[in-house]
Amino acid sequence: MKTNKFEDLYDITKNWQLVSLLERTYFTVAQHLSSNYKGGYWESEKLENGWLFLLANHTEYKVDNEILNSKTFSCIVNNIVMTETINALYEIGLENDSFFFEIYDLLGNLNSSIHKILTEVELTQYYKLLD
């Protein structure tokens, strides 16, 4: 991966609007997932490889019939946002852009690291809600 935090995404693409759109997508997806998401401060958290964009609070979020902590909620939002972004970039012909590859790598890192990030209970919620 070429980035260490969210803001570094601006350095890997000439199209800054892609990064701005990605950031807005985080907020939009979070709002659609949970009616009690009213915004919040998101920060990059370093992982073994790469990073993850996490809500920096201890709020609980209701998604369907599950009550999630902010870390689990953030992981779900990350998965959805990155998957949607990869698909959208592919559809508009930007699958060779360095931004596409970075998001693709970050999603792969999330998927391979999720068992280190979440507890067993959190993992159960994560997979249940992504299903």
Side-chain angles (χ1 to χ4, degrees):
M1 269 161 273
K2 297 179 181 175
T3 60
N4 294 311
K5 59 186 185 277
F6 186 89
E7 295 79 16
D8 293 344
L9 291 171
Y10 286 102
D11 297 331
I12 65 165
T13 182
K14 293 177 182 165
N15 190 347
W16 62 269
Q17 294 169 326
L18 292 175
V19 183
S20 293
L21 179 60
L22 178 69
E23 187 173 22
R24 283 194 311 273
T25 304
Y26 272 92
F27 308 143
T28 302
V29 167
Q31 286 175 324
H32 284 18
L33 277 179
S34 180
S35 61
N36 67 309
Y37 173 80
K38 304 297 182 208
Y41 181 73
W42 293 74
E43 60 186 11
S44 302
E45 181 175 308
K46 185 83 171 119
L47 299 176
E48 190 173 325
N49 293 310
W51 53 272
L52 191 59
F53 207 36
L54 297 176
L55 276 163
N57 64 37
H58 298 289
T59 304
E60 291 183 331
Y61 298 94
K62 184 174 182 186
V63 178
D64 292 339
N65 292 322
E66 299 283 331
I67 302 297
L68 309 176
N69 62 30
S70 60
K71 182 172 60 170
T72 307
F73 181 71
S74 296
C75 287
I76 291 169
V77 171
N78 272 273
N79 189 299
I80 293 169
V81 168
M82 287 187 233
T83 301
E84 286 183 1
T85 300
I86 289 165
N87 290 336
L89 291 170
Y90 183 81
E91 287 177 10
I92 60 173
L94 292 177
E95 68 273 9
N96 292 318
D97 189 286
S98 58
F99 185 74
F100 175 91
F101 290 116
E102 189 69 9
I103 300 301
Y104 184 86
D105 287 344
L106 288 168
L107 178 59
N109 186 52
L110 172 62
N111 289 332
S112 66
S113 302
I114 197 69
H115 288 85
K116 296 175 187 173
I117 299 167
L118 301 177
T119 66
E120 287 300 316
V121 170
E122 294 166 342
L123 279 170
T124 300
Q125 293 175 313
Y126 176 83
Y127 287 120
K128 179 181 179 183
L129 292 167
L130 284 178
D131 227 6

